[in-house]
Amino acid sequence: MTQLVFPEHANALGKAFGGQVMAWTDLCGGICSMRHSGGATVTAAIDELTFDHPINIGDTVVIEARVNATFRTSMEVEVLVWGESPTTGQRWRCVEARLTFVAIDAQGNRRSVPPLRPENDDDVRRMNEAGDRRAERLARRKR
Ligand SMILES: CC(C)(COP(=O)(O)OP(=O)(O)OC[C@H]1O[C@@H](n2cnc3c(N)ncnc32)[C@H](O)[C@@H]1OP(=O)(O)O)[C@@H](O)C(=O)NCCC(=O)NCCS
């Protein structure tokens, strides 16, 4: 997704408002999970999210999402948010976040998601690491 930061997206300091960046993060991750699973999804969890660098009014925001791993009805999606200067094209990383989405059908019941087909070592590494993070999330949920 690509977005231009307008004044209505900004805080009192003229930087993109954190809640707005979170909404874009959730939206882009949600579209990614819907594309993969072929239907509606809901956000089940957002892992720790940090804002590394600000984005100013007038800058471009580039949001990239990818499915790291699929489970039974849920998926881990990684979202990267970049600021981009419209004059120089220079990019800087603003946010890295991981979200869990659950696929639901028209009745709101959970539905299974198609498995990922890893194509290289990096894909396999991402799947394995996502599996570890899922175990931690579910353990936290139980506590
Ligand atoms: C997310 C939700 C569907 C989970 O429903 P539930 O009845 O708790 O279902 P389950 O415990 O069977 O979990 C379903 C899946 O979600 C995963 N999940 C649920 N909560 C999770 C969490 N906090 N972190 C990671 N995964 C989670 C489960 O591991 C399971 O995955 P799997 O099928 O791949 O093994 C339900 O809590 C919900 O509807 N929450 C509100 C969602 C919402 O309104 N989001 C914001 C607007 S989109």
Side-chain angles (χ1 to χ4, degrees):
M1 270 172 56
T2 310
Q3 186 77 37
L4 189 60
V5 181
F6 286 129
E8 64 261 33
H9 302 132
N11 61 22
L13 304 170
K15 319 273 184 199
F17 173 55
Q20 176 63 68
V21 175
M22 287 167 72
W24 286 328
T25 299
D26 192 22
L27 179 61
C28 187
I31 292 168
C32 179
S33 67
M34 288 168 68
R35 280 180 170 163
H36 177 76
S37 66
T41 61
V42 291
T43 314
I46 302 180
D47 291 3
E48 186 178 316
L49 188 152
T50 54
F51 295 94
D52 298 329
H53 298 285
I55 306 174
N56 294 310
I57 292 175
D59 286 338
T60 305
V61 180
V62 180
I63 310 147
E64 299 173 340
R66 60 179 291 164
V67 177
N68 274 342
T70 54
F71 305 104
R72 198 175 61 83
T73 66
S74 66
M75 295 153 270
E76 184 191 274
V77 175
E78 182 172 293
V79 181
L80 300 179
V81 182
W82 307 84
E84 185 183 277
S85 162
T87 45
T88 65
Q90 186 203 350
R91 272 193 193 184
W92 60 95
R93 176 98 134 256
C94 175
V95 168
E96 175 177 341
R98 293 187 190 88
L99 299 85
T100 302
F101 292 92
V102 176
I104 54 164
D105 64 19
Q107 283 70 45
N109 298 316
R110 295 182 297 282
R111 59 187 175 85
S112 53
V113 296
L116 270 189
R117 285 193 300 274
E119 290 171 357
N120 54 44
D121 290 349
D122 187 51
D123 291 347
V124 172
R125 179 187 58 79
R126 286 169 176 280
M127 281 176 70
N128 291 338
E129 291 178 1
D132 293 343
R133 283 189 293 268
R134 167 188 155 91
E136 282 172 28
R137 273 180 217 119
L138 297 185
R140 265 201 308 274
R141 195 182 176 213
K142 270 198 186 142
R143 274 186 232 130

